[in-house]
Amino acid sequence: MAKKVTKIGVLTSGGDSPGMNAATRAVVRTAIYYGLEAFGIMRGYAGMIDNDIVPLHSRSVANIIQRGGTILKTARCKEFFHADGRKKAYENLKKLGIDGLIIIGGDGSFKGADIFSREFDIPCIGLPGTIDKDIAGSDFTIGFDTAVNTAVEAIDKIRDTADAHDRLFIIEVMGRDAGYIALHSGIATGAENILIPERKTDVEELVNGLLEKEKRKKLVNLVVVAEGDDFGGGNEVAKIIKERLPNADVRVCILGHIQRGGSPSCLDRLIASRMGYSAVECLIEGRHNVMVGIVNNRMSYTPLEKAVKAKQKINNEWLKIVKILAS
Ligand code: ADP
């Protein structure tokens, strides 16, 4: 039988995403409800190694559900890749009596948690906190909905100015390895083309499609490109289009870090609250070393080792929809 958990440490790690605070709040309040103590580990795994760990009370997480960023701060921590760094982290947790961990982060953070949970007797629960949505085992990740809505709002504004000048805009959105922000925001804003890392970019097809539209006097075009597209980011795509369509008035807009910030959407607050609550219940019930997700509106639990290996697959039908609707 699993040991009873009494003190929970919560941390946010890797890339930040809106809704991490709502998840932290849910973890702390649920822990307190069940009579457990909660500790905030600052700056992800770096705080575990540096012993930057603070007790959290119900009031510590007041007035944060609506705030972007993360009050716990986040970081990328090289030392945690090494066994001696992880040992140092374990010793710090032991000193404080922390016997359960909740890690809010992306697949890198889960890799770290998976290794740590195999080396030491501290159960780990992962919550998918990433704007990229590229984690298997959950229909949603905390922050994706807010990020994609930020992109949609920005692209709508770009369309207004593109329309006024009959311009072709290349808009680069975030997504180094994943095209979900590009795909969702592109469909939602009526983009002509969406270029994503998961699919080989056919430049000929892109250029021919735009040439054909030029002939039809369809001059306002939006091309949404994920930053990690195999052909390159927004600037590379613009370069080739300018070469091949010299008459087109081409502009580039790179949305960048605004997609990470801002007040989380209702959906992100909701899933962060449900996942945070569920993570504490997992620790209490002895369901260890899993990532908590939501699949078909029910809580789901994926072993950490699986969550880090599998990626969500892009639905090809969605790409077909883009082509048909942007004609
Ligand atoms: P994300 O969680 O957003 O994917 P990263 O990939 O940067 O972000 O991972 C966050 C942190 O998780 C890293 O800085 C490191 O401390 C830890 N981590 C990632 N991969 C490993 C690994 N293979 N072994 C140990 N720790 C890891």
Side-chain angles (χ1 to χ4, degrees):
M1 196 131 151
K3 258 195 313 189
K4 205 167 161 271
V5 171
T6 56
K7 295 185 181 183
I8 291 179
V10 57
L11 61 138
T12 51
S13 166
D16 61 310
S17 66
M20 282 182 156
N21 280 328
T24 301
R25 169 182 178 270
V27 166
V28 172
R29 296 248 164 114
T30 308
I32 291 166
Y33 173 81
Y34 283 116
L36 310 178
E37 282 181 60
F39 291 84
I41 300 167
M42 304 302 292
R43 297 172 292 107
Y45 295 123
M48 248 162 96
I49 292 172
D50 301 343
N51 204 18
D52 194 358
I53 303 173
V54 292
L56 293 176
H57 311 287
S58 195
R59 291 303 95 208
S60 322
V61 291
N63 200 21
I64 64 166
I65 194 168
Q66 78 284 20
R67 281 171 58 189
T70 162
I71 61 161
L72 298 177
K73 308 278 186 183
T74 182
R76 298 200 154 90
C77 171
K78 284 203 179 111
E79 273 184 278
F80 205 73
F81 283 91
H82 304 290
D84 48 350
R86 293 192 296 271
K87 185 156 181 284
K88 218 160 137 193
Y90 172 74
E91 280 159 6
N92 287 331
L93 297 182
K94 268 287 170 210
K95 262 185 253 157
L96 288 166
I98 293 174
D99 46 17
L101 273 185
I102 295 176
I103 298 103
I104 308 165
D107 61 345
S109 303
F110 295 165
K111 269 181 210 151
D114 185 40
I115 294 169
F116 188 76
S117 67
R118 287 165 198 278
E119 290 174 334
F120 303 104
D121 58 342
I122 297 197
C124 296
I125 306 292
L127 298 189
T130 164
I131 62 167
D132 291 332
K133 202 175 103 78
D134 59 343
I135 290 181
S138 190
D139 294 343
F140 308 102
T141 61
I142 298 163
F144 172 75
D145 185 63
T146 308
V148 86
N149 275 297
T150 299
V152 165
E153 203 184 323
I155 298 170
D156 281 347
K157 288 179 178 167
I158 291 167
R159 184 181 275 285
D160 287 346
T161 171
D163 186 59
H165 289 274
D166 285 340
R167 277 184 177 145
L168 193 167
F169 259 90
I170 317 293
I171 301 142
E172 182 186 297
V173 297
M174 279 191 160
R176 243 178 316 196
D177 306 306
Y180 290 101
I181 295 182
L183 189 61
H184 286 232
S185 67
I187 292 177
T189 56
E192 270 60 40
N193 292 87
I194 299 171
L195 310 182
I196 54 174
E198 293 86 345
R199 191 168 179 244
K200 186 148 179 48
T201 292
D202 184 341
V203 177
E204 285 311 309
E205 189 190 338
L206 171 70
V207 168
N208 289 337
L210 291 170
L211 279 169
E212 188 265 323
K213 280 177 181 141
E214 200 177 56
K215 274 191 212 136
R216 283 199 276 129
K217 301 270 178 274
K218 185 176 191 297
L219 302 173
V220 180
N221 289 298
L222 303 180
V223 178
V224 177
V225 186
E227 63 179 322
D229 182 59
D230 59 294
F231 184 76
N235 285 321
E236 283 77 18
V237 173
K239 196 164 159 250
I240 188 100
I241 291 179
K242 278 180 192 165
E243 278 169 23
R244 300 287 300 276
L245 285 93
N247 296 329
D249 190 2
V250 183
R251 292 290 190 281
V252 183
C253 182
I254 295 172
L255 297 189
H257 282 81
I258 59 163
Q259 293 159 94
R260 281 198 188 278
S263 182
S265 67
C266 174
L267 179 64
D268 277 331
R269 296 182 202 192
L270 198 67
I271 63 166
S273 300
R274 289 176 69 191
M275 289 176 181
Y277 160 83
S278 183
V280 176
E281 288 212 322
C282 278
L283 284 175
I284 293 170
E285 289 162 6
R287 200 197 295 259
H288 293 162
N289 310 331
V290 294
M291 181 198 82
V292 172
I294 297 176
V295 175
N296 295 334
N297 206 22
R298 305 180 90 111
M299 303 320 291
S300 82
Y301 310 95
T302 307
L304 282 176
E305 59 176 331
K306 260 199 177 165
V308 304
K309 280 188 195 136
K311 293 266 178 213
Q312 269 193 44
K313 291 227 166 59
I314 291 273
N315 187 336
N316 278 330
E317 199 173 13
W318 286 42
L319 294 166
K320 188 173 165 194
I321 291 174
V322 176
K323 251 197 187 155
I324 294 172
L325 300 191
S327 56

